[in-house]
Amino acid sequence: MTKKIADFFALEGNYPDLDAEGAVARLSQAIQCRTINYADHSLTDYSEFDKLHAHMKASYPHIMRAGVFERLGHHAVLITLPGSDETLRPCLYMSHQDVVPVVEGTEQDWTYPAFSGAVADGFIWGRGTLDIKNQVFGVLEAAEYLLARGRTFRRTAYLAFGDDEETLNTGALAISDHLKAQGVTLEFVLDEGGGKIESGAAFGAPDLSIAQVDLMEKGYADLELTVRSIGGHSSRPYGGTSLTHLACAIADIVRSPFPVRLNPAMMGAFETLAPYITAEPLKTLTRDVRANADAIAAYCYQSPALFPFVTTTIAPTVIQGSSRACNVMPQDMQAVINLRLADGDTVENVMAHCRAAVQDPTVELRYQQANDPSATARRDGYGYRTVVDSMRRYYPDVVFVPSMTVGATDAHQYEQICDTCLRCSPFMVEPEEAASGVHGTNERILVRAYLQGIRVLIDLMEHANL
């Protein structure tokens, strides 16, 4: 794809009275709040979240007058903008306030300091500009724009911002439980996801530019393996060291792949792309996606870009417990394998699969944490159609494709009150920028991209809420 991201933007002249300079300044100030949330809450500086909440309240007076601002859980935020038509199910626009820390030792690698919120070279710089205070504040900008111009909401809108998406997901769950207790069911949820325009080459459509609308997310598991030993001198390794047993167990699991399947979300992707696919064998196979689902899945499994979409992945990530001395056998050792569970697998059957793969009875297996894959959102109803229509208006040369995220978001926490949880950010970025900036160094968003995302959200709210 030779086009730059801004080349895909349309209707940038819409909403000419949008306070572009103010919107950029407000996001910049939000980036300066160091809202890093740790799994161990004793390490979290919640005064930074308090500063962010004060910034929200001061910056969006029409939202604060028209709506109800609540802090739930620890520091999750729910803003209710009541609609006049109680027969319409509400919709929920969500994102998260927390960001990941900067990797120690890389601070000097940033062009501008990570929490400076610098506005320079056509970008807003800093941790959270892509993941994902841009969406928190973009949602607020869109709602404030409409309310400040006297527009009234027919459909209730919830603006929901978790405080620990990067760690425990308890903030989003607190909001979801709060709404469930009130008997609320939602028409749709819009969360982060996608956010890139990229070539369709991996799908056999090299002449196409695509963006994902993620309907589901894979499950997540950290599988801990432990081997116990008294250690000793390395000249007497009878029966193998604890490291030997641990390494063999890791290899056993890695060499026992999980089933390969084309799930409903990916079937939708190939059905949507079928008219544009020119490369074989996918051109022939996608003439009947459902009949050829196994063959398409097998093709995807051999593709570095597509294999995470069709199977549970296995990634050994941690090993610890060995001695620093080369002639000392280790005592107790642990390793962690990170697994991302495909649709069709569960926490229980993945554990059974791994136990069966490990032939060594001395190896202990347990989950540090684990959750099943999410449900798959509907794409045949009002929510999907309305969101995609707004996206298409502002990115008309892009084909929006139902898909799935191989990572994790807060959206799955809302499945108990919504059957259309969509992960599709309107803030578009170059794929290379996303790869290097999200959780990395020099995270930044193009000013034009931030403003374009706000326009999409204003348009979506006009069609869904007014």
Side-chain angles (χ1 to χ4, degrees):
M1 188 178 72
T2 57
K3 294 172 71 173
K4 294 294 185 182
I5 200 73
D7 295 334
F8 291 98
F9 296 176
L11 306 178
E12 287 186 272
N14 281 11
Y15 313 114
D17 55 346
L18 177 64
D19 179 14
E21 184 177 346
V24 169
R26 286 183 283 273
L27 177 58
S28 171
Q29 187 174 340
I31 299 304
Q32 296 169 50
C33 299
R34 299 175 181 241
T35 51
I36 302 167
N37 202 328
Y38 298 93
D40 179 355
H41 283 177
S42 68
L43 301 175
T44 301
D45 182 357
Y46 282 106
S47 70
E48 295 292 329
F49 287 83
D50 293 334
K51 284 165 54 179
L52 188 70
H53 296 177
H55 176 43
M56 291 178 183
K57 292 175 180 178
S59 299
Y60 303 104
H62 293 87
I63 291 176
M64 298 306 146
R65 281 197 291 270
V68 177
F69 183 106
E70 298 174 272
R71 198 178 87 182
L72 300 173
H74 206 300
H75 271 71
V77 167
L78 175 65
I79 301 172
T80 304
L81 298 173
S84 59
D85 189 343
E86 294 183 357
T87 67
L88 297 175
R89 290 197 300 174
C91 58
L92 185 143
Y93 303 93
M94 64 176 291
S95 190
H96 60 88
Q97 309 163 64
D98 58 311
V99 298
V100 297
V102 174
V103 176
E104 188 174 350
T106 67
E107 294 88 351
Q108 299 308 310
D109 297 336
W110 288 68
T111 303
Y112 299 93
F115 292 97
S116 65
V119 181
D121 310 319
F123 291 87
I124 310 164
W125 298 73
R127 181 63 85 226
T129 52
L130 296 179
D131 189 14
I132 192 159
K133 287 179 180 174
N134 56 325
Q135 191 150 322
V136 172
F137 279 79
V139 166
L140 291 167
E141 292 288 342
E144 180 74 9
Y145 177 90
L146 294 169
L147 293 170
R149 284 150 186 81
R151 310 296 294 275
T152 56
F153 282 28
R154 290 182 60 238
R155 184 191 302 275
T156 293
Y158 294 111
L159 317 183
F161 309 125
D163 60 329
D164 62 350
E165 189 270 353
E166 301 289 2
T167 54
L168 301 175
N169 301 128
T170 60
L173 181 60
I175 296 171
S176 179
D177 285 345
H178 176 73
L179 294 174
K180 182 181 179 181
Q182 298 177 35
V184 171
T185 58
L186 301 170
E187 187 65 47
F188 68 86
V189 165
L190 182 66
D191 192 13
E192 64 173 317
K196 301 186 295 290
I197 298 172
E198 50 197 340
S199 168
F203 292 90
D207 299 324
L208 198 65
S209 297
I210 64 172
Q212 294 181 190
V213 182
D214 294 330
L215 305 183
M216 66 158 294
E217 59 195 67
K218 296 180 82 172
Y220 182 100
D222 288 326
L223 178 66
E224 182 183 272
L225 292 75
T226 300
V227 179
R228 305 188 188 280
S229 170
I230 61 171
H233 198 282
S234 63
S235 63
R236 293 181 167 279
Y238 181 79
T241 69
S242 55
L243 178 54
T244 302
H245 289 265
L246 189 61
C248 290
I250 294 169
D252 286 341
I253 292 173
V254 170
R255 292 169 182 161
S256 301
F258 287 84
V260 175
R261 332 178 173 86
L262 199 66
N263 64 39
M266 296 311 296
M267 283 189 186
F270 282 103
E271 287 169 348
T272 300
L273 291 171
Y276 309 99
I277 293 175
T278 57
E280 295 291 0
L282 289 177
K283 180 178 180 179
T284 297
L285 292 174
T286 54
R287 288 173 184 163
D288 190 338
V289 172
R290 294 180 185 277
N292 296 317
D294 290 346
I296 295 171
Y299 174 88
C300 292
Y301 189 68
Q302 300 302 319
S303 163
L306 300 179
F307 93 95
F309 294 121
V310 295
T311 192
T312 291
T313 55
I314 307 166
T317 53
V318 176
I319 192 165
Q320 58 190 11
S322 59
S323 169
R324 290 183 177 272
C326 296
N327 63 346
V328 176
M329 292 190 295
Q331 297 185 15
D332 295 352
M333 290 201 68
Q334 293 84 33
V336 176
I337 298 177
N338 180 257
L339 302 117
R340 301 301 175 110
L341 281 61
D343 189 21
D345 284 328
T346 66
V347 167
E348 289 76 14
N349 84 269
V350 165
M351 177 62 83
H353 178 101
C354 292
R355 286 192 185 281
V358 176
Q359 299 299 308
D360 187 341
T362 68
V363 180
E364 302 169 15
L365 277 68
R366 76 173 187 94
Y367 284 131
Q368 292 181 342
Q369 60 176 323
N371 61 266
D372 288 334
S374 75
T376 300
R378 293 180 55 185
R379 63 182 180 98
D380 60 352
Y382 174 85
Y384 184 87
R385 181 176 66 253
T386 304
V387 168
V388 171
D389 283 350
S390 287
M391 295 288 188
R392 286 172 176 160
R393 276 189 281 276
Y394 286 83
Y395 306 107
D397 296 330
V398 177
V399 174
F400 285 85
V401 179
S403 188
M404 58 181 283
T405 177
V406 297
T409 75
D410 271 342
H412 69 277
Q413 301 288 14
Y414 292 92
E415 290 172 1
Q416 61 179 339
I417 56 173
C418 185
D419 62 6
T420 308
C421 295
L422 306 173
R423 302 150 181 90
C424 181
S425 175
F427 301 94
M428 296 297 177
V429 64
E430 306 280 1
E432 298 79 11
E433 288 272 3
S436 63
V438 174
H439 292 200
T441 299
N442 282 332
E443 184 176 350
R444 63 182 188 173
I445 188 170
L446 190 69
V447 168
R448 285 178 64 188
Y450 181 52
L451 298 175
Q452 186 73 344
I454 293 171
R455 293 185 192 98
V456 175
L457 288 168
I458 295 171
D459 181 274
L460 176 57
M461 289 182 185
E462 283 186 319
H463 286 84
N465 295 99
L466 302 189

